[in-house]
Amino acid sequence: MLFRSSSSPGAAPLLGDWHLVDTQFVDDQPGAFQGSSQTQVVGLSSGGFVAFVFDPALDKTVVFRSSDGATWDEAGSLPTKNATVTDVTDSGGQVVAVGYAYDQVANVAAPIAWTSTDLQTWSAAVLSAPANIGAMMIKVAPNGFLVWGMELTQRTGLHFNFWISADGASWRAVAGPNLPAGAAVEDLSANSAGFVIRSTSQGLIQTWNSIDGAAWANAWTGPANSGRDYYSMGRPTLRAPDGTYVTLGWDTTQPGASSEYPVTWTSSDLTHWTIAGRTQSEGGAPAMAASIPGGFLGAGWCGQNVAGCPNGSFAVWTSVDALTWNQIPGARAIVDSLGGLSPNGVASDGTHVIVVLRDNNDDRIHLLVGTERK
């Protein structure tokens, strides 16, 4: 099934023909592209995509690769049983995935980093941490890699761990930023200057920056919340076409506001942020998004009963500035024809874009694949 996106001048980045890929085409792999929310599909900086799919029939995580998001081949598998991949990055031809593995005998989980240069052969490194810590996010900067982990059970409150590596294979634990008591880590990002962590504590948003992931400093504290009025910022942090950064969030502080409404935050350096304006979209705000040439692609549910976007239905949007989002005509109809789908992720390799959809009934993964027009 094919559908075309809007090409209204200035309305959104131009996208070519789209089609829906049912990953059942991998007929020789039991449970292939199942694994529900554990499935990770990531666009590589060198082009193409990699997918990590937990196969319960084989008790392992299978790695698939694709040059266009439509045709997939099995490349290898992780050398760890009961593995959950939470995030992936790549640099210089090296792919590094992080997550955790659950030991069913000891009834504990351990954080792990996996690395490969060909997607076929993988090495695993268990990250030093107390029991039941999972590696949640990874970023790469000029001085190496940084991983953020957190307690999976949260039985003893929020507990965070950080690890750094120069090569993605050998890791050491570091203290991380001196976060206030009770703070929550909201996002981890990186650029040519190093790493940035965004945290929230007692209603305040703060950013912390580091060149190498070992030494940290508080860079910025956001506007103070007051009573029921508050600000929030989400993730991921996205790179804009002009080189700045954006993320979506919420604001209840505007005069006359009876409830929270979505806003777009912007930054020139990842550390200092301002609200660019209210996020305007046809029916709702994206729950997840990715940068694409010329703008952004988002996916999520409609939250308002407006024409073409009934409340609770699935939608895909594009935007040039992350402020105004336009639905891709025909996307909702083709997705609704399957019924019971939820967005599981958005990925781009600079040429193709993928909206990852999970079937709520049988956990099968479907891919909505399009081609970007630069």
Side-chain angles (χ1 to χ4, degrees):
M1 296 175 120
L2 298 176
F3 60 92
R4 303 187 67 86
S5 66
S6 171
S7 57
S8 301
L14 291 178
L15 297 173
D17 290 339
W18 287 65
H19 57 280
L20 192 67
V21 176
D22 184 340
T23 55
Q24 251 176 341
F25 64 82
V26 193
D27 294 327
D28 60 339
Q29 297 301 322
F33 273 73
Q34 300 207 31
S36 65
S37 60
Q38 297 181 19
T39 299
Q40 292 285 333
V41 179
V42 180
L44 300 176
S45 61
S46 58
F49 298 88
V50 60
F52 297 83
V53 185
F54 179 70
D55 188 333
L58 301 177
D59 193 24
K60 68 178 183 180
T61 298
V62 183
V63 182
F64 295 88
R65 61 184 168 192
S66 173
S67 61
D68 58 7
T71 302
W72 293 82
D73 298 305
E74 180 180 341
S77 61
L78 299 184
T80 310
K81 289 190 174 183
N82 296 311
T84 296
V85 175
T86 57
D87 198 16
V88 186
T89 192
D90 72 298
S91 176
Q94 181 183 24
V95 178
V96 184
V98 297
Y100 54 91
Y102 185 71
D103 187 328
Q104 294 179 319
V105 177
N107 197 31
V108 294
I112 300 182
W114 300 272
T115 183
S116 176
T117 56
D118 60 7
L119 302 182
Q120 299 178 16
T121 303
W122 293 82
S123 61
V126 178
L127 307 180
S128 175
N132 290 320
I133 296 292
M136 307 309 293
M137 293 187 70
I138 181 172
K139 295 297 178 184
V140 61
N143 284 334
F145 300 87
L146 172 67
V147 170
W148 156 53
M150 66 178 294
E151 187 176 4
L152 297 173
T153 59
Q154 295 189 14
R155 293 175 181 172
T156 59
L158 294 176
H159 182 82
F160 303 109
N161 291 74
F162 301 91
W163 303 269
I164 58 175
S165 173
D167 58 8
S170 300
W171 296 84
R172 69 181 179 94
V174 293
N178 185 25
L179 300 176
V185 174
E186 299 290 346
D187 194 25
L188 168 63
S189 53
N191 59 13
S192 60
F195 303 101
V196 175
I197 285 174
R198 177 160 34 88
S199 67
T200 58
S201 175
Q202 298 180 352
L204 286 180
I205 304 171
Q206 294 181 299
T207 59
W208 312 77
N209 59 357
S210 172
I211 296 175
D212 57 5
W216 292 84
N218 179 211
W220 173 77
T221 298
N225 296 336
S226 176
R228 294 184 178 181
D229 294 336
Y230 69 92
Y231 303 91
S232 68
M233 300 171 67
R235 70 170 185 239
T237 299
L238 304 173
R239 185 73 178 266
D242 63 1
T244 60
Y245 304 90
V246 302
T247 192
L248 304 181
W250 300 91
D251 179 14
T252 66
T253 66
Q254 297 302 310
S258 59
S259 62
E260 64 182 9
Y261 63 75
V263 294
T264 300
W265 294 78
T266 185
S267 172
S268 62
D269 60 4
L270 281 180
T271 57
H272 302 82
W273 292 85
T274 59
I275 294 178
R278 184 168 182 170
T279 308
Q280 303 287 341
S281 65
E282 297 173 338
M288 51 193 66
S291 299
I292 63 175
F296 310 93
L297 179 78
W301 293 274
C302 296
Q304 305 168 15
N305 284 309
V306 298
C309 199
N311 190 36
S313 63
F314 178 82
V316 180
W317 297 271
T318 57
S319 175
V320 295
D321 56 9
L323 281 165
T324 301
W325 295 79
N326 299 277
Q327 275 199 72
I328 298 176
R332 188 175 60 81
I334 194 172
V335 172
D336 285 352
S337 68
L338 296 174
L341 295 181
S342 296
N344 208 64
V346 180
S348 169
D349 71 343
T351 302
H352 307 86
V353 292
I354 297 177
V355 178
V356 185
L357 305 169
R358 178 174 60 87
D359 192 311
N360 298 326
N361 299 312
D362 61 10
D363 281 342
R364 179 162 296 282
I365 295 295
H366 301 268
L367 305 178
L368 195 59
V369 181
T371 301
E372 300 168 4
R373 293 178 180 173
K374 299 182 180 180

